Amino acid sequence: MADSPMTLSEHLSTQQASLSTEHARNVAAVLGRIGRVAAVIAQELAHAALRDRLGYVGGANASGDQVKKLDVWGHDTMVSALRETGACAALISEEAAEPVEMDAGGTHALVVCADPVDGSSNLDVNGAVGTIFSLRPSRGKTPAGPVALGRGTDQIAAGYVMYGPAAMLVYTVGQGTHGFTLAPESGEFLLTHPDMRIPRRGKTYGINEGNVHSWHPGQRAFVEHLKTPDKAAGRPYSLRYSGAMVADVHRTLLDGGLFMYPADWSDPKKPKAKLRLLYEVAPMALICEQAGGRASTGLERVLDLVATEYHQRAAVILGSTEDVETADAFYRR
Ligand code: FBP
């Protein structure tokens, strides 16, 4: 009988080499707990309509977005779970204007940046949604939240959970990117996609084409290029867009191609992006690069961006290396 697949916590213990022992213990504690929170969120999503959990709570979050009941529930669930680990010094969350400081002290406590429920516009239409997270060393600082205001390369781990037909958790601690599928009976995430490698070039692209008029001219020309038939080059690419970053990035990691949310260049002096750097764009960039892909803004590598605000926004073009390189070339024209 085939060996049963490795559990998330077993796999975490094999991924220690790139971390100091103390950090490794805290990373395993936090990622293990996020795995358990994800199993609870998956359950709650399946019952949301039955438990009156759909719809808005009223009011807006730090980014001015209307807030769904599940956004708040997801945030509160994440806060209490991370507090219990004793390994988390602070949480930067989409649903809290300021960092949520936690008592975990010590040089090796971690700062977590998270979007507890990503793709909220899909919640009330039973579409795919997700959770996105990253871990940074707190270096023993108090308050710890400001430590997150740094470069994307400071992340020591990142991951997401996709709540689709199956719930899947994908993470990296800097030794490749690995995927797990939730066994609903046991609530365990089991290794089903070890060492995910994104194809060097794809056949699909994901972008909200409704924004075409506000794109950088290079972005517009690049999407035109993807749509221009060229059999030898495998074009035209097909458009695939779910409205939830996690679902679009997950497909891109498995099949190749691109997920793009470019900035609004209506005022070229002040391009305005939508997605948040610390808990959406930077974590996905690390996961993508660790799977052999690339993540750019069109003008620079995402992981070189330095965050100066907790809810700062950034443009993103991520996916297959050759496709992202082509996009960058169109921006440079
Ligand atoms: P939140 O739902 O967490 O605010 O995430 C933002 C998001 O929903 C992404 O998941 C998705 O990629 C994007 O916004 C969709 O934006 P739009 O509706 O403008 O296409």
Side-chain angles (χ1 to χ4, degrees), residues 94 115 117-120 208 241 243-245 261 274 276 280:
E94 182 182 8
D115 181 357
V117 180
D118 170 65
S120 311
N208 181 341
Y241 190 69
M245 182 185 198
Y261 210 110
K274 170 173 180 171
R276 279 47 61 104
E280 291 173 323

Side-chain angles (χ1 to χ4, degrees), residues 11-61:
H11 191 264
L12 280 163
S13 60
T14 71
Q15 299 285 301
Q16 312 273 327
S18 59
L19 301 163
S20 70
T21 318
E22 292 79 10
H23 269 135
R25 200 183 7 254
N26 286 345
V27 166
V30 168
L31 290 182
R33 186 56 62 98
I34 290 176
R36 288 199 285 287
V37 167
V40 172
I41 294 177
Q43 262 273 329
E44 194 63 25
L45 289 169
H47 296 84
L50 307 166
R51 294 177 183 166
D52 187 27
R53 282 253 198 240
L54 297 179
Y56 292 95
V57 282
N61 64 18

Side-chain angles (χ1 to χ4, degrees), residues 14-167:
T14 71
Q15 299 285 301
Q16 312 273 327
S18 59
L19 301 163
S20 70
T21 318
E22 292 79 10
H23 269 135
R25 200 183 7 254
N26 286 345
V27 166
V30 168
L31 290 182
R33 186 56 62 98
I34 290 176
R36 288 199 285 287
V37 167
V40 172
I41 294 177
Q43 262 273 329
E44 194 63 25
L45 289 169
H47 296 84
L50 307 166
R51 294 177 183 166
D52 187 27
R53 282 253 198 240
L54 297 179
Y56 292 95
V57 282
N61 64 18
S63 313
D65 303 327
Q66 282 199 299
V67 181
K68 297 264 174 103
K69 292 178 187 171
L70 281 164
D71 283 324
V72 176
W73 176 85
H75 169 77
D76 295 344
T77 306
M78 183 76 84
V79 168
S80 48
L82 290 174
R83 250 190 231 294
E84 283 163 19
T85 63
C88 181
L91 166 69
I92 282 101
S93 164
E94 182 182 8
E95 304 311 331
E98 293 304 317
V100 181
E101 294 289 327
M102 301 183 178
D103 312 334
T107 319
H108 299 98
L110 300 164
V111 174
V112 175
C113 300
D115 181 357
V117 180
D118 170 65
S120 311
S121 58
N122 279 358
L123 281 168
D124 295 359
V125 295
N126 199 25
V129 293
T131 296
I132 309 173
F133 53 89
S134 81
L135 281 52
R136 295 170 183 247
S138 72
R139 294 191 280 279
K141 294 265 188 307
T142 311
V147 171
L149 299 178
R151 203 176 285 279
T153 45
D154 295 345
Q155 299 172 111
I156 55 175
Y160 64 77
V161 184
M162 176 183 165
Y163 308 101

